[in-house]
Amino acid sequence: MPLSVRPPIQTLPSYSLTGDLLGFLRCGLQYRYSRLGKLPPSHPVQLWFGQFIHAVLEESYRQVKEKRKSLPPWSDPDLLEIFERIDRRLAARNIICWNEDSQKLGYSRATSAVNELGPLLFPLINQAEVRVRGARKLPAAIIKLLGRDMERYEMLGVIDVVTQVELFSPKHRGNKLLELMVEELPENPPDEFEVIVDYKGMKRPAQSEEGENVGLWEIYEWQVHTYAHLRSLLTTKPIIAGVVVYLNELVPTKSDLIALQIALKRRTSTKELLPELGSKDEALLRDWKFKEQPMPKLSRDFRLQRAIRVIPISPMSIRDSLNEFDGVVGRIEKCLMDEASTGKLISSWDRNATHEPTCAACDTRTFCPDFTTETSPRLPGFKL
Ligand code: SF4
């Protein structure tokens, strides 16, 4: 009797939404070194900040949920106790903020996130740190280009927060965050629905102009839609919106405010860059003489409006975002294939020098060809 041959074992390639797909979109070469090559960053300030503020928000929510504390605002000593505990936990994983000023700024943003955002967000939270996963079949056009036998891939992610919103619940009356969400929701939303919330340890990015490459504005939109898709596999509640929270906006730096003032004076910005200002905030910013005066104190509502971006979700927008990520998987696979076939690393990986802060924090910049073309050292009196 002929025995059938056991088919070769095939593992499904896994792609994490943040670590792989967003990492590659930020810059393929940096992704190759830091994620695939596992090179630790020499200045892990950005890594520290992202992990620190996520952990502080999660821990604060847990304390409220377990009724160990009432809703914030909390006193400085209470917050400091949480911050130091998180810092010790991160230090055990060798994630340390070596720069005192950055640590101070991180603490002050975390304070604002807990004390100003927390009272609005925590009552809406249904689940925090929700792990999601799902398999995707790659389109035939991408499969043809790949160097390995791969038809599907696995997508993994961790949603920071899933909120469960009951629109007409009296306990949410007057919640500014909910008001901001409702403004952007489609007409006649269901009475009960879920909203995906994702924290970003960065300032609100500008929307890409027409003809420009997609930037962080669009990429995070894809991410939220993809989370919505993966979450929909686990819940029966409709998911009609995502919220991205740009945490740096809660405590902007001087250079952030200068950039905002320029945008305000030019009035080139759309609502995405500069939401409607209250007249008081607008006057404060417009009249601020940054060389002579201290930074203006912008209202909480204005800072919240800058920090919160609501993204309506529809089946069509989910489908488009998933297609975009299929394309990214194809691009990563192609770079891997090129490196394996040519033996050359730098030229095989896509590079993206459009986001200045990413390049500024990148250890590869000393030998990255794209970085040097944009900011090559110039001798005084020489124009290259
Ligand atoms: S310097 Fe910029 S373009 Fe070059 S690898 Fe780093 S992030 Fe990418």
Side-chain angles (χ1 to χ4, degrees):
M1 185 182 108
L3 293 176
S4 62
V5 179
R6 194 177 182 178
I9 296 171
Q10 290 195 346
T11 49
L12 210 57
S14 267
Y15 283 92
S16 139
L17 210 53
T18 44
D20 293 305
L21 303 181
L22 298 189
F24 177 84
L25 282 167
R26 271 180 175 267
C27 174
L29 185 59
Q30 189 190 59
Y31 164 75
R32 167 64 180 85
Y33 279 115
S34 60
R35 172 90 179 173
L36 301 184
K38 297 192 173 27
L39 283 182
S42 62
H43 297 94
V45 172
Q46 192 51 35
L47 179 68
W48 171 83
F49 179 67
Q51 304 249 348
F52 172 75
I53 203 142
H54 273 78
V56 166
L57 280 165
E58 196 200 339
E59 174 66 23
S60 305
Y61 167 65
R62 214 156 49 85
Q63 300 219 357
V64 174
K65 189 178 164 206
E66 291 169 4
K67 302 204 177 350
R68 283 190 275 145
K69 273 194 168 75
S70 56
L71 266 186
W74 298 332
S75 67
D76 286 350
D78 278 3
L79 287 168
L80 193 63
E81 192 265 320
I82 296 178
F83 297 169
E84 288 179 345
R85 186 145 30 97
I86 303 287
D87 248 348
R88 282 197 296 275
R89 229 186 275 164
L90 292 177
R93 291 165 47 207
N94 216 13
I95 303 175
I96 298 165
C97 180
W98 296 106
N99 182 312
E100 210 179 301
D101 288 343
S102 304
Q103 191 188 38
K104 247 169 119 182
L105 184 61
Y107 278 23
S108 127
R109 284 182 174 150
T111 302
S112 169
V114 174
N115 281 350
E116 296 189 291
L117 181 67
L120 307 177
L121 179 63
F122 294 167
L124 301 177
I125 294 181
N126 177 25
Q127 274 177 282
E129 298 282 309
V130 183
R131 291 184 185 278
V132 284
R133 69 199 311 162
R136 287 275 302 157
K137 190 171 186 328
L138 280 168
I142 294 179
I143 294 173
K144 265 200 294 192
L145 302 173
L146 301 185
R148 58 170 159 164
D149 193 9
M150 166 180 166
E151 279 192 357
R152 289 170 191 275
Y153 69 97
E154 184 189 40
M155 221 180 219
L156 307 168
V158 181
I159 303 175
D160 287 332
V161 163
V162 174
T163 64
Q164 190 169 323
V165 179
E166 292 167 48
L167 262 191
F168 300 107
S169 166
K171 63 183 179 200
H172 300 323
R173 200 162 293 148
N175 186 316
K176 178 78 191 161
L177 179 60
L178 192 54
E179 283 171 14
L180 286 173
M181 284 186 203
V182 170
E183 271 175 32
E184 304 289 332
L185 291 181
E187 267 179 43
N188 305 323
D191 293 350
E192 251 189 87
F193 53 87
E194 284 191 355
V195 172
I196 306 275
V197 180
D198 197 55
Y199 309 131
K200 298 283 176 216
M202 59 181 288
K203 67 177 187 173
R204 190 182 178 99
Q207 194 175 5
S208 308
E209 300 285 331
E210 217 168 297
E212 273 182 4
N213 288 339
V214 287
L216 295 177
W217 184 263
E218 294 75 20
I219 290 169
Y220 293 140
E221 197 171 309
W222 302 345
Q223 181 193 7
V224 166
H225 282 109
T226 308
Y227 277 155
H229 162 71
L230 297 174
R231 172 68 186 165
S232 69
L233 306 175
L234 303 171
T235 181
T236 50
K237 295 225 162 50
I239 303 162
I240 60 171
V243 169
V244 179
V245 186
Y246 298 110
L247 292 160
N248 290 16
E249 297 293 343
L250 295 174
V251 181
T253 58
K254 188 170 182 179
S255 52
D256 294 339
L257 288 188
I258 293 172
L260 208 53
Q261 189 186 53
I262 294 170
L264 176 66
K265 285 184 176 161
R266 283 196 197 136
R267 269 288 177 204
T268 50
S269 51
T270 59
K271 189 173 171 220
E272 280 68 35
L273 177 65
L274 194 69
E276 282 310 301
L277 293 166
S279 54
K280 192 166 155 255
D281 291 303
E282 181 160 349
L284 276 176
L285 254 182
R286 192 183 290 279
D287 302 339
W288 175 46
K289 295 188 178 56
F290 64 84
K291 285 190 183 152
E292 301 151 28
Q293 296 175 332
M295 286 172 26
K297 285 200 174 9
L298 299 172
S299 68
R300 184 204 69 164
D301 282 1
F302 170 71
R303 287 177 292 112
L304 261 186
Q305 234 180 323
R306 290 267 312 156
I308 303 289
R309 177 185 172 200
V310 181
I311 302 170
I313 286 172
S314 67
M316 198 102 85
S317 58
I318 288 181
R319 194 202 55 201
D320 291 347
S321 300
L322 290 171
N323 289 343
E324 295 290 353
F325 279 134
D326 289 345
V328 177
V329 169
R331 282 170 61 194
I332 296 176
E333 289 291 325
K334 182 171 176 312
C335 292
L336 283 168
M337 202 169 68
D338 287 352
E339 185 186 333
S341 62
T342 62
K344 291 183 177 156
L345 192 155
I346 293 180
S347 57
S348 301
W349 286 84
D350 296 357
R351 298 179 294 274
N352 175 10
T354 55
H355 188 236
E356 203 266 322
T358 304
C359 288
C362 175
D363 291 329
T364 313
R365 68 184 183 279
T366 47
F367 55 91
C368 165
D370 283 34
F371 185 71
T372 47
T373 52
E374 299 229 330
T375 54
S376 49
R378 293 171 175 84
L379 290 172
F382 271 77
K383 254 192 175 172
L384 295 180

